[in-house]
Amino acid sequence: MIKSAVTISLVKEAEGGPFVFWHDLAAGCVKAAKLGYDAVEVFAPNADAIPVADLKALTAECGLKVAAVGTGGGWVIHKWHLCQPDAASRDNAKNFIRSIINAGAQLGAPAIIGSMQGRFEGEVSKEQALCWLREALDELGEHAKLVGVPLIYEPLNRYESNLLNRADETVAFLGTLDTDNVVILADLFHMNIEEANIAEGLSTYGSHIGHVHFVDSNRRPAGCGHMDYTPIAAALKTIGYDKYASAEAFPWPNSDAAAKATIGAFNQHLA
Ligand SMILES: [Mn+2]
């Protein structure tokens, strides 16, 4: 059975971004629980800003899990990513991600590599960038395995990364990894831009999918754009997807309404 989750961002620098609840873990958890969500996904500025013990107590009290933790703070705040030309920045990116993996693991939550994958540009060729991405996913994937969680890699749309945008190329790339601990985040907003057919893209990912960002075509909450969820839900059912569908969407028209809209669409299509 697919489980529901909703995002909470604690990152001041990310304001305006696609996160439903903002700046208050306790308030977000209480609202998520009241609406019937199974879990929260937490986007923090760094690992130290994830209050592991408090969040454990808070989610237990609310009957929630932590679905995943984001690593994008390393990009949004420090402008580090895994494909920068200088080794020091790449190391900073890896260390930042590793620390988030460790914090998330204490909550049973895998970390997501989205914007931290970066892009190729300038002196860095695509081949070189994919080589660095492969090395980082192998290293961090094995590290995540040691602490008992998968590592989630999120292909982005062409306006956010030029590395891997579609399911077919991503699955081919996964086949070149040494680690078996990297799973895919299927973000319906990115897929809507890049895939000829979203349901077919989900089928191409198949059992590689470890997380879904459940959102509409315009990055508003599910049900507030023109996404057709019927074939999407059918594809997820066919591949036996049973992890989280997480609301990573703009807080449109506001946080409470976005959370309510998403859980309504979840119950209609995915529950
Ligand atoms: Mn996403």
Side-chain angles (χ1 to χ4, degrees):
M1 212 152 83
I2 302 176
K3 297 164 284 184
S4 58
V6 61
T7 48
I8 305 176
S9 170
L10 306 175
V11 182
K12 175 122 192 58
E13 293 83 348
E15 276 177 7
F19 302 98
V20 173
F21 291 124
W22 286 85
H23 305 314
D24 189 335
L25 280 173
C29 283
V30 167
K31 287 178 175 181
K34 203 170 272 181
L35 286 168
Y37 280 95
D38 296 309
V40 292
E41 176 180 325
V42 177
F43 184 56
N46 55 65
D48 292 339
I50 302 174
V52 171
D54 289 353
L55 186 53
K56 228 181 240 183
L58 176 63
T59 48
E61 199 178 309
C62 293
L64 295 166
K65 303 280 186 200
V66 181
V69 287
T71 65
W75 166 247
V76 172
I77 298 167
H78 303 286
K79 300 299 170 195
W80 294 328
H81 67 68
L82 294 172
C83 296
Q84 272 159 330
D86 64 303
S89 293
R90 296 197 302 277
D91 281 346
N92 284 335
K94 270 193 278 195
N95 291 334
F96 185 91
I97 293 166
R98 196 179 291 108
S99 67
I100 301 260
I101 290 172
N102 292 342
Q106 296 175 67
L107 298 156
I112 299 167
I113 295 180
S115 58
M116 285 297 273
Q117 70 194 271
R119 64 200 52 77
F120 72 91
E121 59 194 349
E123 66 198 87
V124 179
S125 67
K126 182 169 192 178
E127 190 184 18
Q128 176 65 76
L130 287 173
C131 180
W132 283 332
L133 179 65
R134 181 179 299 114
E135 284 172 10
L137 291 179
D138 274 332
E139 185 182 330
L140 296 167
E142 285 302 295
H143 175 76
K145 188 190 275 188
L146 280 179
V147 294
V149 284
L151 177 64
I152 302 175
Y153 169 71
E154 177 176 23
L156 305 175
N157 74 70
R158 67 189 68 183
Y159 306 108
E160 298 182 37
S161 179
N162 52 12
L163 296 174
L164 299 163
N165 304 125
R166 289 188 318 278
D168 53 356
E169 58 190 3
T170 303
V171 168
F173 178 81
L174 279 181
T176 71
L177 296 182
D178 293 325
T179 182
D180 61 359
N181 197 42
V182 173
V183 296
I184 292 300
L185 197 172
D187 180 311
L188 301 180
F189 166 75
H190 296 306
M191 293 183 77
N192 177 63
I193 293 171
E194 297 296 343
E195 302 294 335
N197 181 303
I198 298 173
E200 281 173 19
L202 293 167
S203 303
T204 300
Y205 281 135
S207 60
H208 291 296
I209 302 179
H211 199 70
V212 168
H213 276 157
F214 183 54
V215 55
D216 220 308
S217 51
N218 47 8
R219 227 171 194 180
R220 285 180 178 178
C224 303
H226 59 72
M227 194 83 79
D228 181 3
Y229 289 102
T230 303
I232 289 169
L236 289 172
K237 192 175 175 190
T238 301
I239 62 176
Y241 182 70
D242 63 356
K243 298 189 169 62
Y244 290 101
S246 184
E248 187 196 58
F250 291 126
W252 183 90
N254 56 61
S255 294
D256 290 352
K260 202 172 171 200
T262 301
I263 198 70
F266 177 89
N267 288 332
Q268 183 184 346
H269 297 288
L270 301 182

